[in-house]
């Protein structure tokens, strides 16, 4: 990578939210156990789930939080997590994030965002956002730098700034959610200012030889939102800003391409190559188009299951690193098996019954598809909980039982926070 660091192979465990921290946001033994298992699984890079820079803006209850200088206990817990997550020469990077308006109401009924644009989702799960002041923006920029330094000192080998999936930095980048009329709003250069200031703060905190990654949407897949041309321009700026690896993803909670449960409907999406719409490698064509304009290494995550598709993405220059997520919730040594010749990873989401039989006929309705998709995600959350606490998984675990258990744990953690 540009900073001089080297990954032992090109397979990365992509970030997946764990929900295993204490109510106050401290790493637990269960979290360390989970990463100890993954560290022995053969991936050259492990990227953590969201490490939050503001305890009032969790992605979900159970996130790790670094929003101040750590006390002795916190430093010890972070060091234990980092030690567990590194085995041999693999890297462990902390994904640093802030949920912004995608903070659940049970955590914060009035979350901060780029502007006061509420989530366009039914159910009342999210509160009414409030626009950040310039002073608050400056404080958050410093918090990203602080969190990165704390992670470096704890033993993590890199960090990733989460600027995708509709979280706070993504909210600044999108003209749908950024209606500001100051130096952080309007034209793209202004909307990207927050991200670039964060990267500068992180680089200053960790030094020139420490890997910095950014997770960026190829597009929001919403009309009037962050588009591919915007993403390409931002990637060029990030290359200038000494970013070492950019992970290409896409979507937000309102248009969840990252979950693979929504149809590809926008004209912009229909104009790219067919493989982008396929189940294998959702964002590979966007990355390939970017590679024609930049030299910074790119990581592509989303949909990869077969060794052939991964090798094709690497050989054609569409990606430098392949991100794998859901399969590693159950097949934790999947990367090693691929390196040793395995042809494909299981698509576990196809092997579980996401909907009860009486609902299956209603799958054509968008609301039912959304319920099915979120229930499936909670099933994977439950597999991570089982791995962390027992070292085993249960492929036959009922999906809606998993949904109820994970939801109950989240509410209990939120209640414990006060």
């Amino acid at each position: 990578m540009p900073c001089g660091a080297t990954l032992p192979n090109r397979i990365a465990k992509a970030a997946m939210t764990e929900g295993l921290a204490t109510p106050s946001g401290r790493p637990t033994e269960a979290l360390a156990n989970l990463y100890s298992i993954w560290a022995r699984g053969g991936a050259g890079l492990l990227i953590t789930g969201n490490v939050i820079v503001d305890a009032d803006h969790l992605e979900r209850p159970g996130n790790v939080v670094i929003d101040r200088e750590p006390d002795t206990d916190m430093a010890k817990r972070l060091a234990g997590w980092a030690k567990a997550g590194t085995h041999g020469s693999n890297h462990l990077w902390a994904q640093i994030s802030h949920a912004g308006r995608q903070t659940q109401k049970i955590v914060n009924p009035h979350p901060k965002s780029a502007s006061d644009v509420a989530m366009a989702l039914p159910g009342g799960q999210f509160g009414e956002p409030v626009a950040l002041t310039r002073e608050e923006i400056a404080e958050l920029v410093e918090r990203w730098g602080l969190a990165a330094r704390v992670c470096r000192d704890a033993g993590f080998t890199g960090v990733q700034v989460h600027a995708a999936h509709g979280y706070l930095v993504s909210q600044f980048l999108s003209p749908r959610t950024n209606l500001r009329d100051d130096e952080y709003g309007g034209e793209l250069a202004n909307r990207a200012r927050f991200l670039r200031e964060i990267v500068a703060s992180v680089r200053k905190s960790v030094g020139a030889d420490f890997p910095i990654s950014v997770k960026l949407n190829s597009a929001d897949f919403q009309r009037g939102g962050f588009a591919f041309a915007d993403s390409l321009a931002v990637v060029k700026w990030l290359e200038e800003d000494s970013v070492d690896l950019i992970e290409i993803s896409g979507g937000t909670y309102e248009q969840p391409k990252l979950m693979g449960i929504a149809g590809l409907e926008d004209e912009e999406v229909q104009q790219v190559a067919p493989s982008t719409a396929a189940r294998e490698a959702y964002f590979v064509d966007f990355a390939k188009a970017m590679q024609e304009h930049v030299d910074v290494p790119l990581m592509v995550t989303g949909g990869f299951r077969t060794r052939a598709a991964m090798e094709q993405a690497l050989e054609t220059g569409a990606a430098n690193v392949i991100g794998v997520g859901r399969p590693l919730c159950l097949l934790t040594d999947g990367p090693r098996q691929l390196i040793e010749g395995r042809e494909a990873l299981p698509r576990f989401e196809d092997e579980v019954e996401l909907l009860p039989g009486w609902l299956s006929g209603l799958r054509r309705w968008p609301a039912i598809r959304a319920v099915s998709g979120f229930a499936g995600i909670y099933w994977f959350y439950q597999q991570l909980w089982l791995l962390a606490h027992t070292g085993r998984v249960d492929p036959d675990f009922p999906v809606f039982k998993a949904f109820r258990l994970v939801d109950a744990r989240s509410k209990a953690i939120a209640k414990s926070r006060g």
Side-chain angles (χ1 to χ4, degrees), residues 378-402:
Y378 278 41
W379 183 82
F380 284 100
Y381 288 172
Q382 178 64 15
Q383 301 299 331
L384 295 185
W385 190 93
L386 290 171
L387 265 179
H389 289 88
T390 72
R392 298 185 300 274
V393 296
D394 183 0
D396 297 321
F397 202 94
V399 174
F400 276 84
K401 181 179 179 181

Side-chain angles (χ1 to χ4, degrees), residues 91-126:
H91 277 247
L92 174 66
W93 295 359
Q95 185 188 74
I96 306 175
S97 183
H98 183 298
R101 70 174 190 153
Q102 290 183 173
T103 302
Q104 297 176 39
K105 189 183 291 186
I106 59 173
V107 174
N108 187 345
H110 297 290
K112 297 297 179 72
S113 181
S115 301
D116 58 354
V117 180
M119 296 284 290
L121 286 174
Q125 187 178 2
F126 303 96

Side-chain angles (χ1 to χ4, degrees), residues 21 24 33 45 57 77 80 87 96 98 123 180 184 205 215 232 234 257 285 302 317 331 353 356 363 397 403:
S24 63
N33 290 341
L45 169 63
H57 292 83
R77 288 170 179 259
H87 179 77
I96 306 175
H98 183 298
R180 304 178 70 95
Y184 292 96
S205 296
K215 187 166 191 171
L232 177 58
V234 172
K257 291 295 186 292
D285 292 311
L331 190 68
E353 182 58 46
R363 198 182 295 271
F397 202 94
F403 184 90

Side-chain angles (χ1 to χ4, degrees), residues 30 53 64 66 98 120 155 345 385:
V53 299
V64 172
I66 303 177
H98 183 298
L345 298 176
W385 190 93

Side-chain angles (χ1 to χ4, degrees), residues 335-357:
R336 175 173 293 108
Q337 292 192 32
L338 287 169
I339 291 169
E340 293 176 352
R342 183 178 179 129
E343 293 300 322
L345 298 176
R347 193 176 288 276
F348 291 105
E349 55 269 42
D350 288 350
E351 299 176 10
V352 295
E353 182 58 46
L354 296 184
L355 291 174

Side-chain angles (χ1 to χ4, degrees), residues 37-53:
I37 293 170
W38 276 328
R40 297 191 299 271
L45 169 63
L46 307 180
I47 304 178
T48 75
N50 291 277
V51 174
I52 301 296
V53 299

